[in-house]
Amino acid sequence: MELKVQTQGGCASSGCGSSADRLAHLPEAIRAKVNNHPCFSEDAHHHYARMHVAVAPACNIQCHYCNRKYDCANESRPGVVSELLTPDQAVKKVLAVAAAIPQMTVLGIAGPGDPLANPERTLETFRQLAEKAPDIRLCVSTNGLALPDLVDELCQYNIEHVTITINCVDPDVGAKIYPWIFWNNRRIKGRKAAEILIRRQQEGLEKLVARGVLVKVNSVLIPGVNDEHLKEVSRVVKAKGAFLHNVMPLIAEPEHGTFYGLMGQRSPTSAELTALQDACAGDMAMMRHCRQCRADAVGMLGEDRGQEFTLDKIEHLEIDYAAAMQKRAEVQAEIEARRAAPHQPAKAAFVSLASIERVRPQPKPAEPRPVLMAVATTGGGVIDQHFGHARAFRIYEASVQDVRFIGTRQVDLYCTGSDTCGEAETRLEQTIRALDGCEAVLCARIGYEPWGKLEAAGITPNGEHALEPIEEAVAAVYREWLDAGRLAPVAAASERLSA
Amino acid sequence: MAFKIIEGCVNCWACAPLCPSQAIVAAKPHFLIDAHTCTECAGDYADPQCASICPVEGVILDGLGVPVNPPGSLTGIPPERLAAARAEIRAR
């Protein structure tokens, strides 16, 4: 089933384009809310920025993947912050950032801890922002335990999005993830704790959906604990009206001091994550570009400009927010005009209808095998990045039917200071590991040393398609390999690999 | 009798709003309990509130100086495993 479509400029090529399509079932009002939210829309994250403020570090549950002690400037992952703010300080920081970065559309409160565990600080921040910065969208991320009681109040402050972390709907699975919760003035452990948490999460989800609030569900993929079970979680939350499901890999390094990190629980591989995302996909939107940001991240996804806006730097700043709001509106209107403009000269590419529907056709045994290729791109839909500059690679699967966007793999995963954190692994080794399963990497340029190491790892570097549209280049490389006889059918492929 | 917060507290704020006697002070380098005000929640709750939400093992002591949440009790990490992991990380 082959369908000829026009490749489009910007990120509207099949990866991001299909992401827009995946949200196409949503009513117009919801799509408008998603359109400029960098975390929800895969296309928007190339244009818009977000920030998190850490105001509420308390938590009412313990998760085996979390350790709230951690504070590291080099790390980028949930729970990590350098500075805890009062609501007044947080509001000032938001206004300062919004004035300096007009692309900033979203303010989230996402930890450390659970923002709704001591709701006063979180709600006070939202209350002030709804009044002082009405052009900023507010969102909150929660474990859900306190959520049902706070839905009404959250709705008063223009909270359009809520993320609930739901790792299970079965208390027996939950008992392996949550050692305890604090509930009705007591610490409760084991299965009973998980049962209460699950009930409250589902109740919160239902109430938010009934109020028209967009709900995204985050799930942490923990191999051997909830991997199979997450398919059921996805089915349940989708049936209840969650609009996006984000399955994230467990982060479990021993140096983070978490239960899983210390007890040897492994993180999933990129391939396992992709397989589970595919299995959960069905007709529900799956989020595939999540960067698992710091709880005080500032700027575009994957970058952190937090150091420009520390308390001492903004303390004496006078912000004319009325002027800033006008500038923001202008800049954002320009972005929208650019996004809506007719796309670059259309060249034909083959993208199957099946790929848009996200139903993956199984290749027949006699067909040439599909190939995973990684692409270094800054996001314009073309191969335009130096291999060594890429902080993330877009992964495509090429087959005889089509070129399909699989997801994004990060290489600056969670830690950017490998020299100081006791990590023996070099950046290049990390990159090669992140590209596990890929057979080619397409980039604008690549140095001599990484070239050799990639080849040694069985990944063919290719700089011949610089500045070409991604799908066309991937398809061209695939055809070239096909013609050269490199793509023996699946059964024969294993022989080739072991040879 | 009064509870006590010692070094190791991460200033996460969870305990302070729960104290029925307002005995918890947001001090530096870590939170403190005013010994004159703390009642160990007697008469208010069956369980002492600060110790029932505290996520860090060993940092809240009861009136006898005994940790209310001893090592391993909250995280489930056996103390010997924690010590071994710390040694491994230091040795790198």
Side-chain angles (χ1 to χ4, degrees):
Chain A
M1 183 164 52
E2 209 167 61
L3 174 75
K4 210 166 193 184
V5 298
Q6 307 292 315
T7 47
Q8 297 178 323
C11 200
S13 44
S14 79
C16 296
S18 65
S19 132
D21 292 338
R22 274 180 273 139
L23 299 176
H25 65 284
L26 297 169
E28 186 55 43
I30 294 183
R31 273 192 292 161
K33 290 182 184 180
V34 173
N35 180 51
N36 65 353
H37 194 305
C39 310
F40 292 172
S41 158
E42 199 164 332
D43 179 47
H45 94 274
H46 297 302
H47 307 281
Y48 293 106
R50 55 74 182 100
M51 72 179 289
H52 294 155
V53 286
V55 291
C59 198
N60 47 15
I61 73 172
Q62 176 70 47
C63 304
H64 275 326
Y65 47 76
C66 179
N67 172 6
R68 274 170 293 144
K69 266 191 281 193
Y70 218 84
D71 168 17
C72 175
N74 290 323
E75 275 203 87
S76 190
R77 64 183 166 90
V80 171
V81 291
S82 293
E83 209 171 48
L84 186 67
L85 308 174
T86 64
D88 289 347
Q89 289 168 331
V91 168
K92 179 139 197 196
K93 181 171 173 178
V94 173
L95 298 182
V97 172
I101 308 178
Q103 301 90 331
M104 205 275 278
T105 51
V106 173
L107 176 276
I109 301 185
D114 182 67
L116 304 182
N118 285 176
E120 293 77 15
R121 293 166 69 99
T122 299
L123 293 174
E124 173 60 21
T125 308
F126 285 148
R127 193 177 299 133
Q128 287 192 34
L129 284 174
E131 186 195 317
K132 294 180 184 167
D135 63 334
I136 293 175
R137 292 161 191 275
L138 306 177
C139 36
V140 65
S141 182
T142 177
N143 62 41
L145 183 61
L147 178 62
D149 305 334
L150 293 165
V151 166
D152 291 343
E153 189 161 6
L154 285 173
C155 290
Q156 288 174 23
Y157 307 121
N158 305 328
I159 310 281
E160 290 179 340
H161 319 112
V162 174
T163 295
I164 314 176
T165 300
I166 300 180
N167 297 315
C168 56
V169 290
D170 174 349
D172 289 318
V173 176
K176 296 177 193 161
I177 303 172
Y178 308 105
W180 55 266
I181 67 169
F182 181 80
W183 176 247
N184 283 346
N185 300 97
R186 300 180 65 180
R187 197 184 314 259
I188 297 172
K189 299 190 172 190
R191 192 180 187 279
K192 191 178 169 199
E195 214 172 72
I196 296 167
L197 178 64
I198 290 166
R199 176 166 52 77
R200 298 284 291 176
Q201 289 171 334
Q202 297 299 321
E203 200 184 325
L205 167 61
E206 289 161 18
K207 275 184 132 175
L208 286 168
V209 169
R211 298 288 298 260
V213 177
L214 290 189
V215 181
K216 165 169 136 272
V217 169
N218 276 357
S219 299
V220 180
L221 170 56
I222 311 159
V225 175
N226 70 350
D227 39 3
E228 280 305 307
H229 180 58
L230 282 183
K231 295 171 197 166
E232 169 74 358
V233 171
S234 204
R235 195 187 59 72
V236 169
V237 301
K238 178 195 146 200
K240 292 192 177 177
F243 89 109
L244 194 62
H245 191 194
N246 177 22
V247 178
M248 305 176 296
L250 170 72
I251 304 167
E253 307 303 324
E255 47 270 48
H256 298 158
T258 62
F259 173 87
Y260 285 145
L262 290 167
M263 301 304 280
Q265 168 67 52
R266 71 174 177 89
S267 301
T269 63
S270 303
E272 285 170 327
L273 179 67
T274 302
L276 189 78
Q277 286 172 333
D278 284 349
C280 290
D283 53 347
M284 182 188 189
M286 293 295 293
M287 182 164 159
R288 289 170 189 260
H289 69 287
C290 177
R291 305 295 302 255
Q292 295 184 279
C293 307
R294 286 172 68 97
D296 58 4
V298 174
M300 307 290 279
L301 295 201
E303 77 171 10
D304 192 358
R305 296 177 58 180
Q307 288 308 307
E308 297 170 40
F309 303 97
T310 51
L311 270 185
D312 53 321
K313 288 183 183 146
I314 62 167
E315 204 176 354
H316 303 293
L317 219 56
E318 284 299 321
I319 303 148
D320 178 354
Y321 199 72
M325 204 151 84
Q326 198 180 345
K327 185 179 166 206
R328 292 164 50 71
E330 285 162 15
V331 168
Q332 292 180 21
E334 266 173 45
I335 293 172
E336 284 309 300
R338 254 201 331 272
R339 288 174 81 187
H343 295 296
Q344 316 168 7
K347 292 186 184 172
F350 294 100
V351 177
S352 79
L353 195 55
S355 80
I356 293 168
E357 289 167 352
R358 304 214 57 75
V359 178
R360 185 174 177 181
Q362 291 300 317
K364 293 183 194 81
E367 276 182 359
R369 65 193 169 82
V371 172
L372 284 185
M373 300 191 197
V375 173
T377 172
T378 58
V382 293
I383 300 166
D384 63 350
Q385 202 171 28
H386 191 295
F387 174 79
H389 295 168
R391 294 290 172 270
F393 289 88
R394 290 172 66 82
I395 310 296
Y396 289 79
E397 184 189 74
S399 68
V400 284
Q401 284 104 1
D402 61 10
V403 171
R404 187 176 79 108
F405 174 62
I406 301 284
T408 303
R409 293 194 194 164
Q410 299 155 47
V411 293
D412 60 344
L413 213 59
Y414 326 124
C415 186
T416 52
S418 54
D419 293 345
T420 53
C421 299
E423 286 252 342
E425 197 175 37
T426 67
R427 249 304 285 292
L428 182 58
E429 284 165 345
Q430 273 182 29
T431 304
I432 289 173
R433 187 159 55 99
L435 298 182
D436 173 44
C438 297
E439 294 182 54
V441 57
L442 280 55
C443 50
R445 290 186 64 193
I446 179 167
Y448 183 76
E449 192 206 342
W451 185 291
K453 293 214 167 135
L454 279 167
E455 278 198 326
I459 304 171
T460 309
N462 186 320
E464 291 165 26
H465 296 273
L467 301 180
E468 288 180 20
I470 294 171
E471 272 93 358
E472 289 179 37
V474 170
V477 172
Y478 188 79
R479 271 193 302 272
E480 194 184 304
W481 286 18
L482 194 61
D483 294 344
R486 283 182 69 174
L487 305 174
V490 180
S494 56
E495 279 171 28
R496 186 193 63 86
L497 287 172
S498 60
Chain B
M1 298 296 269
F3 277 47
K4 189 178 176 185
I5 296 175
I6 61 168
E7 193 188 293
C9 162
V10 297
N11 299 352
C12 81
W13 283 90
C15 58
L18 294 172
C19 178
S21 323
Q22 283 87 48
I24 298 176
V25 190
K28 290 277 169 79
H30 57 75
F31 281 50
L32 295 173
I33 295 177
D34 176 2
H36 298 294
T37 318
C38 173
T39 60
E40 299 192 358
C41 292
D44 289 300
Y45 295 103
D47 298 330
Q49 295 299 287
C50 56
S52 296
I53 199 167
C54 180
V56 185
E57 293 163 348
V59 301
I60 297 188
L61 308 182
D62 67 13
L64 301 170
V66 177
V68 188
N69 301 307
S73 64
L74 300 184
T75 58
I77 303 165
E80 58 279 9
R81 175 69 203 119
L82 186 63
R86 282 188 178 145
E88 278 167 35
I89 291 165
R90 266 199 306 273
R92 281 183 195 169

